[in-house]
Amino acid sequence: GNLRLCRMLEAAGFRVHWCESAPAPEGPGWSPMPYLGLLGAEIADVKPDVLLCASSGGIYVLPLWQAGLWDGPTVFINAHPHLNCLPVGLPVVIAHGSNDKVFPSSRAYLEELSEAGGNSCYLHFTGNSGRLPSGHLSRLGDGHEMESLLQYDCLPRLVDAALCPEGPETSVLRSWRSQLSDDRSRAEQWLGLTTHSFRQRWAPPLPNGARRLLADV
Protein backbone atom coordinates (compact mmCIF):
# COMPACT_ATOMS: atom_id res chain seq x y z
CA GLY A 1 0.00 0.00 0.00
CA ASN A 2 2.74 2.50 0.96
CA LEU A 3 4.68 1.76 -2.24
CA ARG A 4 1.65 2.57 -4.39
CA LEU A 5 1.11 5.80 -2.47
CA CYS A 6 4.75 6.72 -2.94
CA ARG A 7 4.55 6.10 -6.68
CA MET A 8 1.45 8.24 -6.83
CA LEU A 9 3.29 11.14 -5.18
CA GLU A 10 6.23 10.74 -7.57
CA ALA A 11 3.84 10.71 -10.55
CA ALA A 12 2.32 13.95 -9.22
CA GLY A 13 5.76 15.60 -9.31
CA PHE A 14 6.90 15.26 -5.70
CA ARG A 15 10.47 14.23 -4.97
CA VAL A 16 10.14 11.52 -2.32
CA HIS A 17 12.88 10.65 0.16
CA TRP A 18 12.45 7.48 2.19
CA CYS A 19 13.78 7.79 5.73
CA GLU A 20 16.17 4.94 6.47
CA SER A 21 17.72 6.02 9.77
CA ALA A 22 14.81 4.93 11.96
CA PRO A 23 13.56 1.32 12.19
CA ALA A 24 9.93 0.25 12.15
CA PRO A 25 8.45 0.04 15.67
CA GLU A 26 8.54 -3.48 17.03
CA GLY A 27 5.60 -3.82 19.39
CA PRO A 28 4.25 -2.70 22.77
CA GLY A 29 6.69 -0.80 24.95
CA TRP A 30 8.95 0.08 22.03
CA SER A 31 10.40 3.60 22.29
CA PRO A 32 11.44 5.90 19.44
CA MET A 33 13.66 8.00 21.69
CA PRO A 34 17.02 6.25 20.92
CA TYR A 35 16.56 7.02 17.23
CA LEU A 36 15.50 10.68 17.40
CA GLY A 37 19.04 11.98 16.96
CA LEU A 38 19.59 9.97 13.79
CA LEU A 39 16.20 10.91 12.44
CA GLY A 40 16.71 14.58 13.27
CA ALA A 41 20.09 14.54 11.51
CA GLU A 42 18.53 13.01 8.40
CA ILE A 43 15.79 15.64 8.40
CA ALA A 44 18.39 18.39 8.76
CA ASP A 45 20.37 16.94 5.84
CA VAL A 46 17.44 16.40 3.46
CA LYS A 47 15.53 19.57 4.46
CA PRO A 48 12.11 18.27 3.36
CA ASP A 49 9.22 20.62 2.63
CA VAL A 50 6.75 18.24 4.25
CA LEU A 51 6.98 15.18 6.51
CA LEU A 52 4.68 12.28 5.64
CA CYS A 53 4.25 9.28 7.88
CA ALA A 54 2.03 6.24 7.64
CA SER A 55 0.84 3.60 10.09
CA SER A 56 3.31 2.88 12.90
CA GLY A 57 5.73 5.51 11.56
CA GLY A 58 3.52 8.11 13.20
CA ILE A 59 5.01 7.21 16.59
CA TYR A 60 8.10 9.27 15.71
CA VAL A 61 6.38 12.56 14.97
CA LEU A 62 5.25 13.72 18.42
CA PRO A 63 8.75 13.25 19.92
CA LEU A 64 10.24 15.06 16.92
CA TRP A 65 7.94 18.02 17.59
CA GLN A 66 8.69 18.00 21.30
CA ALA A 67 12.45 17.84 20.72
CA GLY A 68 12.32 20.70 18.20
CA LEU A 69 13.70 18.50 15.44
CA TRP A 70 10.77 19.13 13.08
CA ASP A 71 8.38 22.06 12.90
CA GLY A 72 7.16 21.94 9.32
CA PRO A 73 4.03 20.72 7.51
CA THR A 74 3.12 17.16 8.42
CA VAL A 75 0.78 14.57 6.88
CA PHE A 76 -0.41 11.50 8.77
CA ILE A 77 -1.80 8.49 6.96
CA ASN A 78 -3.59 6.85 9.90
CA ALA A 79 -3.79 8.62 13.25
CA HIS A 80 -1.30 6.85 15.51
CA PRO A 81 -2.60 6.17 19.06
CA HIS A 82 0.33 8.18 20.49
CA LEU A 83 -0.86 11.25 18.59
CA ASN A 84 -2.74 12.88 21.47
CA CYS A 85 -2.03 16.56 20.78
CA LEU A 86 -1.12 18.83 17.87
CA PRO A 87 1.08 21.94 17.89
CA VAL A 88 -1.05 25.05 17.47
CA GLY A 89 -0.28 26.84 14.22
CA LEU A 90 1.64 23.96 12.62
CA PRO A 91 0.11 22.70 9.33
CA VAL A 92 -1.05 19.14 9.96
CA VAL A 93 -3.23 16.89 7.79
CA ILE A 94 -4.61 13.64 9.21
CA ALA A 95 -6.13 10.97 6.94
CA HIS A 96 -8.01 8.22 8.75
CA GLY A 97 -10.70 5.65 7.96
CA SER A 98 -13.61 4.54 10.08
CA ASN A 99 -12.78 0.88 9.45
CA ASP A 100 -9.17 1.06 10.60
CA LYS A 101 -8.75 -2.07 12.74
CA VAL A 102 -5.07 -1.43 13.52
CA PHE A 103 -5.50 2.07 14.99
CA PRO A 104 -9.26 2.35 15.63
CA SER A 105 -10.33 5.88 16.48
CA SER A 106 -13.69 7.65 16.45
CA ARG A 107 -14.45 10.59 14.22
CA ALA A 108 -15.50 12.62 17.26
CA TYR A 109 -12.10 12.15 18.91
CA LEU A 110 -10.16 13.00 15.73
CA GLU A 111 -12.27 16.11 15.14
CA GLU A 112 -11.58 17.24 18.71
CA LEU A 113 -7.87 16.58 18.20
CA SER A 114 -7.69 18.54 14.94
CA GLU A 115 -9.77 21.42 16.29
CA ALA A 116 -7.37 21.78 19.22
CA GLY A 117 -4.58 22.37 16.70
CA GLY A 118 -6.38 25.37 15.22
CA ASN A 119 -7.20 26.32 11.64
CA SER A 120 -3.90 24.97 10.37
CA CYS A 121 -5.07 21.38 10.96
CA TYR A 122 -7.27 19.39 8.61
CA LEU A 123 -8.94 16.02 9.13
CA HIS A 124 -9.65 13.84 6.09
CA PHE A 125 -11.95 11.18 7.53
CA THR A 126 -13.49 8.52 5.31
CA GLY A 127 -16.45 6.98 7.10
CA ASN A 128 -19.20 4.52 6.36
CA SER A 129 -22.48 5.74 4.96
CA GLY A 130 -25.76 5.30 6.77
CA ARG A 131 -27.45 1.94 6.34
CA LEU A 132 -29.96 1.33 3.56
CA PRO A 133 -33.34 -0.28 4.36
CA SER A 134 -31.74 -3.59 3.39
CA GLY A 135 -29.12 -3.10 6.08
CA HIS A 136 -26.31 -2.65 3.56
CA LEU A 137 -23.92 0.31 3.34
CA SER A 138 -23.77 2.33 0.13
CA ARG A 139 -20.25 3.51 0.97
CA LEU A 140 -17.51 1.90 3.03
CA GLY A 141 -14.97 3.97 4.91
CA ASP A 142 -11.30 3.18 4.59
CA GLY A 143 -9.45 0.54 6.51
CA HIS A 144 -5.82 0.86 7.59
CA GLU A 145 -4.52 0.82 4.01
CA MET A 146 -6.49 3.99 3.14
CA GLU A 147 -7.28 2.80 -0.38
CA SER A 148 -9.31 5.91 -1.21
CA LEU A 149 -6.13 8.00 -1.17
CA LEU A 150 -5.24 6.35 -4.48
CA GLN A 151 -8.32 7.84 -6.16
CA TYR A 152 -8.82 11.31 -7.63
CA ASP A 153 -5.24 12.38 -6.80
CA CYS A 154 -6.33 12.43 -3.19
CA LEU A 155 -2.96 11.94 -1.50
CA PRO A 156 -1.10 14.54 -3.63
CA ARG A 157 -3.94 16.98 -2.91
CA LEU A 158 -3.58 16.37 0.84
CA VAL A 159 0.17 16.97 0.65
CA ASP A 160 -0.50 20.18 -1.30
CA ALA A 161 -2.96 21.12 1.42
CA ALA A 162 -0.35 20.78 4.15
CA LEU A 163 1.95 23.08 2.14
CA CYS A 164 -0.69 25.73 1.37
CA PRO A 165 0.08 29.09 3.05
CA GLU A 166 -3.63 29.84 3.31
CA GLY A 167 -4.29 26.66 5.27
CA PRO A 168 -5.04 23.05 4.35
CA GLU A 169 -8.82 23.35 4.33
CA THR A 170 -8.71 26.20 1.81
CA SER A 171 -6.45 24.15 -0.44
CA VAL A 172 -8.71 21.08 -0.29
CA LEU A 173 -11.80 23.13 -1.12
CA ARG A 174 -10.09 24.68 -4.13
CA SER A 175 -8.82 21.31 -5.33
CA TRP A 176 -12.36 19.97 -5.64
CA ARG A 177 -12.85 22.10 -8.74
CA SER A 178 -9.97 20.36 -10.48
CA GLN A 179 -11.89 17.08 -10.18
CA LEU A 180 -14.75 18.34 -12.36
CA SER A 181 -14.77 17.37 -16.01
CA ASP A 182 -14.67 20.09 -18.69
CA ASP A 183 -18.22 19.17 -19.71
CA ARG A 184 -19.43 19.57 -16.13
CA SER A 185 -17.70 22.94 -15.79
CA ARG A 186 -19.18 24.21 -19.08
CA ALA A 187 -22.64 23.00 -18.06
CA GLU A 188 -22.39 24.78 -14.72
CA GLN A 189 -21.29 27.99 -16.41
CA TRP A 190 -24.21 27.76 -18.84
CA LEU A 191 -26.69 27.08 -16.07
CA GLY A 192 -25.26 29.80 -13.87
CA LEU A 193 -23.67 29.77 -10.46
CA THR A 194 -26.16 31.98 -8.63
CA THR A 195 -29.89 31.76 -7.95
CA HIS A 196 -30.45 34.86 -10.08
CA SER A 197 -28.64 33.47 -13.11
CA PHE A 198 -30.16 30.00 -13.29
CA ARG A 199 -33.62 31.33 -12.45
CA GLN A 200 -33.66 33.01 -15.85
CA ARG A 201 -33.90 29.55 -17.42
CA TRP A 202 -37.15 28.66 -15.69
CA ALA A 203 -39.27 30.23 -18.47
CA PRO A 204 -41.14 27.72 -20.69
CA PRO A 205 -41.06 28.20 -24.50
CA LEU A 206 -44.17 29.94 -25.88
CA PRO A 207 -45.56 29.66 -29.46
CA ASN A 208 -45.46 32.45 -32.09
CA GLY A 209 -42.56 34.27 -30.44
CA ALA A 210 -44.65 35.38 -27.48
CA ARG A 211 -42.89 36.91 -24.53
CA ARG A 212 -41.35 34.35 -22.19
CA LEU A 213 -42.72 34.40 -18.68
CA LEU A 214 -41.05 32.94 -15.64
CA ALA A 215 -42.94 30.05 -14.09
CA ASP A 216 -43.41 29.79 -10.35
CA VAL A 217 -41.72 26.76 -8.85
PDB file of all heavy atoms in Angstrom, residues 135-164:
ATOM      1  N   GLY A 135     -30.177  -2.898   5.094  1.00  0.00           N
ATOM      2  CA  GLY A 135     -29.122  -3.102   6.075  1.00  0.00           C
ATOM      3  C   GLY A 135     -27.726  -2.950   5.513  1.00  0.00           C
ATOM      4  O   GLY A 135     -26.754  -2.962   6.267  1.00  0.00           O
ATOM      5  N   HIS A 136     -27.613  -2.800   4.192  1.00  0.00           N
ATOM      6  CA  HIS A 136     -26.305  -2.654   3.562  1.00  0.00           C
ATOM      7  C   HIS A 136     -25.829  -1.203   3.629  1.00  0.00           C
ATOM      8  O   HIS A 136     -26.616  -0.281   3.855  1.00  0.00           O
ATOM      9  CB  HIS A 136     -26.368  -3.107   2.103  1.00  0.00           C
ATOM     10  CG  HIS A 136     -26.655  -4.571   1.934  1.00  0.00           C
ATOM     11  ND1 HIS A 136     -27.938  -5.061   1.858  1.00  0.00           N
ATOM     12  CD2 HIS A 136     -25.827  -5.632   1.844  1.00  0.00           C
ATOM     13  CE1 HIS A 136     -27.902  -6.379   1.719  1.00  0.00           C
ATOM     14  NE2 HIS A 136     -26.627  -6.757   1.707  1.00  0.00           N
ATOM     15  N   LEU A 137     -24.525  -1.016   3.407  1.00  0.00           N
ATOM     16  CA  LEU A 137     -23.924   0.309   3.339  1.00  0.00           C
ATOM     17  C   LEU A 137     -23.682   0.672   1.880  1.00  0.00           C
ATOM     18  O   LEU A 137     -23.170  -0.140   1.110  1.00  0.00           O
ATOM     19  CB  LEU A 137     -22.598   0.340   4.105  1.00  0.00           C
ATOM     20  CG  LEU A 137     -22.658   0.032   5.600  1.00  0.00           C
ATOM     21  CD1 LEU A 137     -21.249  -0.119   6.161  1.00  0.00           C
ATOM     22  CD2 LEU A 137     -23.403   1.126   6.343  1.00  0.00           C
ATOM     23  N   SER A 138     -24.025   1.892   1.495  1.00  0.00           N
ATOM     24  CA  SER A 138     -23.767   2.326   0.125  1.00  0.00           C
ATOM     25  C   SER A 138     -22.326   2.795  -0.053  1.00  0.00           C
ATOM     26  O   SER A 138     -21.830   2.899  -1.166  1.00  0.00           O
ATOM     27  CB  SER A 138     -24.728   3.458  -0.253  1.00  0.00           C
ATOM     28  OG  SER A 138     -24.537   4.584   0.594  1.00  0.00           O
ATOM     29  N   ARG A 139     -21.653   3.081   1.038  1.00  0.00           N
ATOM     30  CA  ARG A 139     -20.253   3.512   0.972  1.00  0.00           C
ATOM     31  C   ARG A 139     -19.518   2.967   2.187  1.00  0.00           C
ATOM     32  O   ARG A 139     -20.010   3.051   3.319  1.00  0.00           O
ATOM     33  CB  ARG A 139     -20.152   5.038   0.978  1.00  0.00           C
ATOM     34  CG  ARG A 139     -18.732   5.564   0.850  1.00  0.00           C
ATOM     35  CD  ARG A 139     -18.650   7.069   1.090  1.00  0.00           C
ATOM     36  NE  ARG A 139     -18.929   7.408   2.478  1.00  0.00           N
ATOM     37  CZ  ARG A 139     -19.992   8.092   2.883  1.00  0.00           C
ATOM     38  NH1 ARG A 139     -20.881   8.503   2.000  1.00  0.00           N
ATOM     39  NH2 ARG A 139     -20.200   8.355   4.166  1.00  0.00           N
ATOM     40  N   LEU A 140     -18.346   2.416   1.954  1.00  0.00           N
ATOM     41  CA  LEU A 140     -17.512   1.901   3.034  1.00  0.00           C
ATOM     42  C   LEU A 140     -16.347   2.852   3.292  1.00  0.00           C
ATOM     43  O   LEU A 140     -15.682   3.299   2.351  1.00  0.00           O
ATOM     44  CB  LEU A 140     -16.956   0.519   2.682  1.00  0.00           C
ATOM     45  CG  LEU A 140     -17.950  -0.651   2.687  1.00  0.00           C
ATOM     46  CD1 LEU A 140     -17.252  -1.916   2.203  1.00  0.00           C
ATOM     47  CD2 LEU A 140     -18.533  -0.861   4.077  1.00  0.00           C
ATOM     48  N   GLY A 141     -16.133   3.174   4.555  1.00  0.00           N
ATOM     49  CA  GLY A 141     -14.966   3.974   4.911  1.00  0.00           C
ATOM     50  C   GLY A 141     -13.692   3.159   4.750  1.00  0.00           C
ATOM     51  O   GLY A 141     -13.716   1.937   4.610  1.00  0.00           O
ATOM     52  N   ASP A 142     -12.583   3.849   4.775  1.00  0.00           N
ATOM     53  CA  ASP A 142     -11.296   3.180   4.589  1.00  0.00           C
ATOM     54  C   ASP A 142     -10.927   2.311   5.788  1.00  0.00           C
ATOM     55  O   ASP A 142     -11.309   2.591   6.929  1.00  0.00           O
ATOM     56  CB  ASP A 142     -10.191   4.217   4.402  1.00  0.00           C
ATOM     57  CG  ASP A 142     -10.082   4.686   2.970  1.00  0.00           C
ATOM     58  OD1 ASP A 142     -10.190   3.839   2.063  1.00  0.00           O
ATOM     59  OD2 ASP A 142      -9.883   5.889   2.747  1.00  0.00           O
ATOM     60  N   GLY A 143     -10.136   1.285   5.489  1.00  0.00           N
ATOM     61  CA  GLY A 143      -9.447   0.542   6.512  1.00  0.00           C
ATOM     62  C   GLY A 143      -8.056   1.130   6.701  1.00  0.00           C
ATOM     63  O   GLY A 143      -7.782   2.272   6.307  1.00  0.00           O
ATOM     64  N   HIS A 144      -7.145   0.348   7.272  1.00  0.00           N
ATOM     65  CA  HIS A 144      -5.815   0.863   7.593  1.00  0.00           C
ATOM     66  C   HIS A 144      -5.018   1.233   6.346  1.00  0.00           C
ATOM     67  O   HIS A 144      -4.176   2.131   6.386  1.00  0.00           O
ATOM     68  CB  HIS A 144      -5.058  -0.184   8.420  1.00  0.00           C
ATOM     69  CG  HIS A 144      -3.827   0.343   9.081  1.00  0.00           C
ATOM     70  ND1 HIS A 144      -3.870   1.280  10.093  1.00  0.00           N
ATOM     71  CD2 HIS A 144      -2.502   0.068   8.867  1.00  0.00           C
ATOM     72  CE1 HIS A 144      -2.643   1.555  10.483  1.00  0.00           C
ATOM     73  NE2 HIS A 144      -1.791   0.840   9.755  1.00  0.00           N
ATOM     74  N   GLU A 145      -5.282   0.565   5.223  1.00  0.00           N
ATOM     75  CA  GLU A 145      -4.518   0.821   4.009  1.00  0.00           C
ATOM     76  C   GLU A 145      -4.907   2.129   3.322  1.00  0.00           C
ATOM     77  O   GLU A 145      -4.188   2.600   2.426  1.00  0.00           O
ATOM     78  CB  GLU A 145      -4.687  -0.343   3.015  1.00  0.00           C
ATOM     79  CG  GLU A 145      -4.063  -1.653   3.481  1.00  0.00           C
ATOM     80  CD  GLU A 145      -2.558  -1.562   3.592  1.00  0.00           C
ATOM     81  OE1 GLU A 145      -1.936  -0.918   2.723  1.00  0.00           O
ATOM     82  OE2 GLU A 145      -1.999  -2.136   4.545  1.00  0.00           O
ATOM     83  N   MET A 146      -6.033   2.704   3.710  1.00  0.00           N
ATOM     84  CA  MET A 146      -6.492   3.987   3.143  1.00  0.00           C
ATOM     85  C   MET A 146      -6.507   3.956   1.609  1.00  0.00           C
ATOM     86  O   MET A 146      -5.903   4.770   0.914  1.00  0.00           O
ATOM     87  CB  MET A 146      -5.600   5.133   3.630  1.00  0.00           C
ATOM     88  CG  MET A 146      -5.670   5.413   5.117  1.00  0.00           C
ATOM     89  SD  MET A 146      -7.285   6.029   5.675  1.00  0.00           S
ATOM     90  CE  MET A 146      -7.455   7.575   4.793  1.00  0.00           C
ATOM     91  N   GLU A 147      -7.247   2.992   1.067  1.00  0.00           N
ATOM     92  CA  GLU A 147      -7.284   2.795  -0.384  1.00  0.00           C
ATOM     93  C   GLU A 147      -7.825   4.015  -1.134  1.00  0.00           C
ATOM     94  O   GLU A 147      -7.446   4.261  -2.285  1.00  0.00           O
ATOM     95  CB  GLU A 147      -8.139   1.569  -0.711  1.00  0.00           C
ATOM     96  CG  GLU A 147      -7.536   0.242  -0.278  1.00  0.00           C
ATOM     97  CD  GLU A 147      -6.367  -0.173  -1.132  1.00  0.00           C
ATOM     98  OE1 GLU A 147      -6.306   0.258  -2.299  1.00  0.00           O
ATOM     99  OE2 GLU A 147      -5.510  -0.928  -0.638  1.00  0.00           O
ATOM    100  N   SER A 148      -8.704   4.771  -0.506  1.00  0.00           N
ATOM    101  CA  SER A 148      -9.310   5.907  -1.215  1.00  0.00           C
ATOM    102  C   SER A 148      -8.294   6.994  -1.546  1.00  0.00           C
ATOM    103  O   SER A 148      -8.534   7.825  -2.424  1.00  0.00           O
ATOM    104  CB  SER A 148     -10.456   6.506  -0.387  1.00  0.00           C
ATOM    105  OG  SER A 148      -9.956   7.214   0.738  1.00  0.00           O
ATOM    106  N   LEU A 149      -7.149   6.994  -0.865  1.00  0.00           N
ATOM    107  CA  LEU A 149      -6.127   7.996  -1.166  1.00  0.00           C
ATOM    108  C   LEU A 149      -5.535   7.812  -2.557  1.00  0.00           C
ATOM    109  O   LEU A 149      -4.902   8.719  -3.095  1.00  0.00           O
ATOM    110  CB  LEU A 149      -5.005   7.938  -0.132  1.00  0.00           C
ATOM    111  CG  LEU A 149      -5.375   8.269   1.312  1.00  0.00           C
ATOM    112  CD1 LEU A 149      -4.128   8.278   2.183  1.00  0.00           C
ATOM    113  CD2 LEU A 149      -6.100   9.602   1.413  1.00  0.00           C
ATOM    114  N   LEU A 150      -5.753   6.632  -3.145  1.00  0.00           N
ATOM    115  CA  LEU A 150      -5.243   6.355  -4.484  1.00  0.00           C
ATOM    116  C   LEU A 150      -6.181   6.860  -5.574  1.00  0.00           C
ATOM    117  O   LEU A 150      -5.856   6.775  -6.762  1.00  0.00           O
ATOM    118  CB  LEU A 150      -5.028   4.849  -4.660  1.00  0.00           C
ATOM    119  CG  LEU A 150      -3.933   4.225  -3.785  1.00  0.00           C
ATOM    120  CD1 LEU A 150      -4.048   2.703  -3.795  1.00  0.00           C
ATOM    121  CD2 LEU A 150      -2.560   4.662  -4.263  1.00  0.00           C
ATOM    122  N   GLN A 151      -7.326   7.382  -5.194  1.00  0.00           N
ATOM    123  CA  GLN A 151      -8.323   7.839  -6.163  1.00  0.00           C
ATOM    124  C   GLN A 151      -8.342   9.361  -6.234  1.00  0.00           C
ATOM    125  O   GLN A 151      -8.130  10.044  -5.234  1.00  0.00           O
ATOM    126  CB  GLN A 151      -9.707   7.320  -5.784  1.00  0.00           C
ATOM    127  CG  GLN A 151      -9.806   5.801  -5.708  1.00  0.00           C
ATOM    128  CD  GLN A 151     -11.155   5.339  -5.206  1.00  0.00           C
ATOM    129  OE1 GLN A 151     -12.007   6.135  -4.827  1.00  0.00           O
ATOM    130  NE2 GLN A 151     -11.367   4.036  -5.192  1.00  0.00           N
ATOM    131  N   TYR A 152      -8.611   9.873  -7.423  1.00  0.00           N
ATOM    132  CA  TYR A 152      -8.822  11.309  -7.632  1.00  0.00           C
ATOM    133  C   TYR A 152      -7.647  12.165  -7.140  1.00  0.00           C
ATOM    134  O   TYR A 152      -7.840  13.284  -6.655  1.00  0.00           O
ATOM    135  CB  TYR A 152     -10.117  11.766  -6.954  1.00  0.00           C
ATOM    136  CG  TYR A 152     -11.317  10.947  -7.329  1.00  0.00           C
ATOM    137  CD1 TYR A 152     -11.939  10.129  -6.390  1.00  0.00           C
ATOM    138  CD2 TYR A 152     -11.821  10.956  -8.630  1.00  0.00           C
ATOM    139  CE1 TYR A 152     -13.041   9.350  -6.724  1.00  0.00           C
ATOM    140  CE2 TYR A 152     -12.926  10.190  -8.980  1.00  0.00           C
ATOM    141  CZ  TYR A 152     -13.522   9.385  -8.021  1.00  0.00           C
ATOM    142  OH  TYR A 152     -14.612   8.623  -8.359  1.00  0.00           O
ATOM    143  N   ASP A 153      -6.425  11.636  -7.246  1.00  0.00           N
ATOM    144  CA  ASP A 153      -5.238  12.382  -6.801  1.00  0.00           C
ATOM    145  C   ASP A 153      -5.367  12.818  -5.351  1.00  0.00           C
ATOM    146  O   ASP A 153      -4.857  13.880  -4.964  1.00  0.00           O
ATOM    147  CB  ASP A 153      -5.009  13.617  -7.690  1.00  0.00           C
ATOM    148  CG  ASP A 153      -4.697  13.259  -9.125  1.00  0.00           C
ATOM    149  OD1 ASP A 153      -3.988  12.256  -9.345  1.00  0.00           O
ATOM    150  OD2 ASP A 153      -5.164  13.966 -10.035  1.00  0.00           O
ATOM    151  N   CYS A 154      -6.015  11.998  -4.547  1.00  0.00           N
ATOM    152  CA  CYS A 154      -6.331  12.427  -3.185  1.00  0.00           C
ATOM    153  C   CYS A 154      -5.080  12.681  -2.343  1.00  0.00           C
ATOM    154  O   CYS A 154      -4.957  13.730  -1.695  1.00  0.00           O
ATOM    155  CB  CYS A 154      -7.228  11.393  -2.505  1.00  0.00           C
ATOM    156  SG  CYS A 154      -7.867  11.941  -0.899  1.00  0.00           S
ATOM    157  N   LEU A 155      -4.141  11.741  -2.333  1.00  0.00           N
ATOM    158  CA  LEU A 155      -2.960  11.939  -1.501  1.00  0.00           C
ATOM    159  C   LEU A 155      -2.132  13.145  -1.941  1.00  0.00           C
ATOM    160  O   LEU A 155      -1.745  13.966  -1.086  1.00  0.00           O
ATOM    161  CB  LEU A 155      -2.101  10.675  -1.471  1.00  0.00           C
ATOM    162  CG  LEU A 155      -0.848  10.775  -0.586  1.00  0.00           C
ATOM    163  CD1 LEU A 155      -1.211  11.127   0.854  1.00  0.00           C
ATOM    164  CD2 LEU A 155      -0.041   9.481  -0.638  1.00  0.00           C
ATOM    165  N   PRO A 156      -1.825  13.318  -3.230  1.00  0.00           N
ATOM    166  CA  PRO A 156      -1.102  14.541  -3.626  1.00  0.00           C
ATOM    167  C   PRO A 156      -1.857  15.821  -3.234  1.00  0.00           C
ATOM    168  O   PRO A 156      -1.221  16.809  -2.843  1.00  0.00           O
ATOM    169  CB  PRO A 156      -0.998  14.408  -5.151  1.00  0.00           C
ATOM    170  CG  PRO A 156      -1.034  12.939  -5.404  1.00  0.00           C
ATOM    171  CD  PRO A 156      -1.977  12.387  -4.373  1.00  0.00           C
ATOM    172  N   ARG A 157      -3.160  15.798  -3.303  1.00  0.00           N
ATOM    173  CA  ARG A 157      -3.937  16.981  -2.908  1.00  0.00           C
ATOM    174  C   ARG A 157      -3.821  17.243  -1.410  1.00  0.00           C
ATOM    175  O   ARG A 157      -3.789  18.397  -0.968  1.00  0.00           O
ATOM    176  CB  ARG A 157      -5.399  16.802  -3.312  1.00  0.00           C
ATOM    177  CG  ARG A 157      -5.617  16.878  -4.836  1.00  0.00           C
ATOM    178  CD  ARG A 157      -6.940  16.270  -5.256  1.00  0.00           C
ATOM    179  NE  ARG A 157      -8.059  16.888  -4.579  1.00  0.00           N
ATOM    180  CZ  ARG A 157      -9.203  16.272  -4.313  1.00  0.00           C
ATOM    181  NH1 ARG A 157      -9.364  14.992  -4.660  1.00  0.00           N
ATOM    182  NH2 ARG A 157     -10.170  16.905  -3.714  1.00  0.00           N
ATOM    183  N   LEU A 158      -3.748  16.182  -0.607  1.00  0.00           N
ATOM    184  CA  LEU A 158      -3.580  16.366   0.835  1.00  0.00           C
ATOM    185  C   LEU A 158      -2.187  16.896   1.170  1.00  0.00           C
ATOM    186  O   LEU A 158      -2.031  17.710   2.089  1.00  0.00           O
ATOM    187  CB  LEU A 158      -3.848  15.054   1.565  1.00  0.00           C
ATOM    188  CG  LEU A 158      -5.291  14.536   1.542  1.00  0.00           C
ATOM    189  CD1 LEU A 158      -5.401  13.225   2.302  1.00  0.00           C
ATOM    190  CD2 LEU A 158      -6.259  15.567   2.121  1.00  0.00           C
ATOM    191  N   VAL A 159      -1.171  16.439   0.440  1.00  0.00           N
ATOM    192  CA  VAL A 159       0.173  16.973   0.653  1.00  0.00           C
ATOM    193  C   VAL A 159       0.218  18.444   0.240  1.00  0.00           C
ATOM    194  O   VAL A 159       0.792  19.286   0.944  1.00  0.00           O
ATOM    195  CB  VAL A 159       1.215  16.146  -0.125  1.00  0.00           C
ATOM    196  CG1 VAL A 159       2.602  16.774   0.000  1.00  0.00           C
ATOM    197  CG2 VAL A 159       1.240  14.708   0.395  1.00  0.00           C
ATOM    198  N   ASP A 160      -0.386  18.770  -0.894  1.00  0.00           N
ATOM    199  CA  ASP A 160      -0.495  20.176  -1.300  1.00  0.00           C
ATOM    200  C   ASP A 160      -1.191  20.995  -0.219  1.00  0.00           C
ATOM    201  O   ASP A 160      -0.813  22.141   0.053  1.00  0.00           O
ATOM    202  CB  ASP A 160      -1.287  20.291  -2.608  1.00  0.00           C
ATOM    203  CG  ASP A 160      -0.451  19.990  -3.839  1.00  0.00           C
ATOM    204  OD1 ASP A 160       0.791  20.094  -3.764  1.00  0.00           O
ATOM    205  OD2 ASP A 160      -1.040  19.650  -4.885  1.00  0.00           O
ATOM    206  N   ALA A 161      -2.214  20.406   0.389  1.00  0.00           N
ATOM    207  CA  ALA A 161      -2.965  21.121   1.424  1.00  0.00           C
ATOM    208  C   ALA A 161      -2.082  21.455   2.617  1.00  0.00           C
ATOM    209  O   ALA A 161      -2.158  22.563   3.180  1.00  0.00           O
ATOM    210  CB  ALA A 161      -4.163  20.280   1.873  1.00  0.00           C
ATOM    211  N   ALA A 162      -1.236  20.517   3.022  1.00  0.00           N
ATOM    212  CA  ALA A 162      -0.346  20.779   4.150  1.00  0.00           C
ATOM    213  C   ALA A 162       0.642  21.896   3.837  1.00  0.00           C
ATOM    214  O   ALA A 162       1.092  22.607   4.742  1.00  0.00           O
ATOM    215  CB  ALA A 162       0.411  19.501   4.517  1.00  0.00           C
ATOM    216  N   LEU A 163       0.972  22.072   2.562  1.00  0.00           N
ATOM    217  CA  LEU A 163       1.947  23.082   2.143  1.00  0.00           C
ATOM    218  C   LEU A 163       1.314  24.434   1.834  1.00  0.00           C
ATOM    219  O   LEU A 163       2.038  25.413   1.627  1.00  0.00           O
ATOM    220  CB  LEU A 163       2.708  22.591   0.912  1.00  0.00           C
ATOM    221  CG  LEU A 163       3.646  21.397   1.130  1.00  0.00           C
ATOM    222  CD1 LEU A 163       4.039  20.777  -0.207  1.00  0.00           C
ATOM    223  CD2 LEU A 163       4.875  21.832   1.901  1.00  0.00           C
ATOM    224  N   CYS A 164      -0.002  24.505   1.799  1.00  0.00           N
ATOM    225  CA  CYS A 164      -0.688  25.726   1.367  1.00  0.00           C
ATOM    226  C   CYS A 164      -0.571  26.827   2.425  1.00  0.00           C
ATOM    227  O   CYS A 164      -0.965  26.623   3.581  1.00  0.00           O
ATOM    228  CB  CYS A 164      -2.159  25.415   1.095  1.00  0.00           C
ATOM    229  SG  CYS A 164      -3.126  26.871   0.594  1.00  0.00           S
TER     230      CYS A 164
END
